[in-house]
Amino acid sequence: MTPEDRAGTARWIQAIQRADGSIPWDDNGHLDPWNHVEAAMGLDAAGCHPAAAAALRWLAGQQRPDGSFASAYQDGLVTDPHGDSNYTAYLAVGVRHHLRHTGNLALAKELWPTVRAAVEFVLELQAPDGTIGWHRRPDGSVCALALRAGCASIHHALHCAIALGRRLGEPTADWSAAANRLRAAVLDAALFLPKPHAMDWYYPVLGGAVTGAAALTWLQADWHRFVQPGLGVRCVHDQPWVTGGETAELALTLAVLGESARAGELLADLTLLRCPDGGYWTGYQFANRVRWPVERTTWTAGAVLIATAAQAGDRATLGTFAPVPAEKETS
């Protein structure tokens, strides 16, 4: 992507962003907290910091008394009241990413109570085996089913929250212990239902549970199942369907590991999904040679912007996805 390409994609996301700061998937207005934050992070990666800040503030305003966010919204109204653990945790990643890009401590302090309450909600769903249940139902009961990609993403979010807390002088010690238990769980495949999804493959690495040389070995083991040369990453290994979000996230994973050239190859594959106005199609069914589903999503565009920044060596983005010890935090 050229600077003009990045700016065009950021403008496309902002054209869909509502006046209240919310970022729906597309013009139809559906929104979930995780993908809303992903799109906001894409705006930060492209330098559109006021729009990203507005998105983070909007989500903070939706927090419920138990610390969670609803799983889905439509035009400002809740359409799925379940409290998803991964969706709720991801705000910590967005806030840390924004702080590293802008140095805006005032906003981080403003949003810290929201992040803290979100983390406390998520950790209430942690089981004795270290996994974190999928969601809390509207009646207060917990769905204990644990999703591997979701738990790996929460592991990353917990480390972002810990780094934020220490940067702001707030105590987070019990969160470190919970994150360590969660990491051990993510590494134990027996705790999760086997799924054909690419996210279950690369998220233990992207989420920081698998690091160093072991991370490259982990990715290489199933590379042939998920990476379609010249097209990108299959969403599921048993279907001829590549998706922009998964392709960008694997590129981001590689960039964090220092594999910039391989990340660049994957990002080049995304030209297949790019539109002249800067938006991105969600995916491509390559057996039938059609773009599918027929939608262009802000979270796909956001993931592309994040991965592109990381591949180009952007320290704020790389630092967010490769958390450093809190005492070394400088922004």
Side-chain angles (χ1 to χ4, degrees):
M1 295 176 75
T2 65
E4 292 76 16
D5 290 336
R6 292 193 295 273
T9 297
R11 283 194 300 271
W12 183 80
I13 295 174
Q14 288 180 90
I16 293 176
Q17 185 175 25
R18 303 302 197 238
D20 61 7
S22 61
I23 307 177
W25 279 26
D26 53 30
D27 278 328
N28 291 325
H30 169 80
L31 179 157
D32 73 73
W34 198 100
N35 286 306
H36 165 84
V37 170
E38 186 82 344
M41 291 170 63
L43 292 176
D44 262 330
C48 302
H49 306 309
L56 296 174
R57 282 194 172 105
W58 177 86
L59 186 56
Q62 309 310 307
Q63 191 169 50
R64 301 184 293 194
D66 66 354
S68 71
F69 305 110
S71 290
Y73 301 83
Q74 179 82 35
D75 300 322
L77 300 176
V78 172
T79 55
D80 183 348
H82 290 76
D84 185 292
S85 54
N86 183 28
Y87 287 7
T88 296
Y90 206 54
L91 176 64
V93 183
V95 175
R96 185 175 185 232
H97 187 247
H98 185 76
L99 177 58
R100 291 188 65 91
H101 271 280
T102 66
N104 188 348
L105 272 172
L107 182 61
K109 290 176 180 176
E110 173 190 331
L111 297 180
W112 172 251
T114 308
V115 171
R116 181 179 59 216
V119 169
E120 295 294 348
F121 166 82
V122 169
L123 294 185
E124 287 177 3
L125 306 186
Q126 188 164 38
D129 63 8
T131 60
I132 291 178
W134 183 2
H135 57 242
R136 175 172 283 162
R137 302 182 183 94
D139 65 6
S141 62
V142 174
C143 174
L145 174 68
L147 307 178
R148 196 176 203 184
C151 282
S153 178
I154 293 169
H155 178 266
H156 175 219
L158 288 176
H159 279 287
C160 285
I162 290 165
L164 271 172
R166 292 181 180 171
R167 179 78 173 89
L168 299 174
E170 299 286 348
T172 59
D174 339 353
W175 298 356
S176 295
N180 289 337
R181 292 195 301 274
L182 181 57
R183 177 182 182 273
V186 168
L187 297 178
D188 185 352
L191 295 176
F192 305 92
L193 291 175
K195 294 170 61 181
H197 292 74
M199 289 190 296
D200 276 13
W201 163 55
Y202 64 77
Y203 247 99
V205 178
L206 182 56
V210 186
T211 58
L216 291 174
T217 301
W218 181 287
L219 293 178
Q220 197 58 42
D222 280 326
W223 185 272
H224 66 287
R225 299 178 76 198
F226 289 105
V227 178
Q228 189 69 24
L231 294 178
V233 176
R234 294 178 184 235
C235 180
V236 290
H237 64 66
D238 56 357
Q239 294 295 326
W241 177 40
V242 293
T243 46
E246 277 77 0
T247 302
E249 286 186 331
L250 181 58
L252 170 61
T253 305
L254 291 168
V256 169
L257 294 175
E259 296 284 314
S260 180
R262 294 170 78 190
E265 291 171 3
L266 286 171
L267 289 173
D269 292 342
L270 290 169
T271 56
L272 174 72
L273 300 177
R274 185 175 175 84
C275 301
D277 62 2
Y280 281 82
W281 297 102
T282 296
Y284 178 71
Q285 213 278 6
F286 54 86
N288 296 329
R289 299 183 180 180
V290 295
R291 293 184 176 91
W292 185 85
V294 184
E295 64 178 18
R296 302 190 301 160
T297 42
T298 54
W299 46 267
T300 297
V304 174
L305 289 173
I306 296 165
T308 298
Q311 195 270 341
D314 178 68
R315 294 180 63 186
T317 300
L318 288 171
T320 301
F321 285 90
V324 296
E327 60 272 14
K328 295 184 180 178
E329 285 286 315
T330 57
S331 63

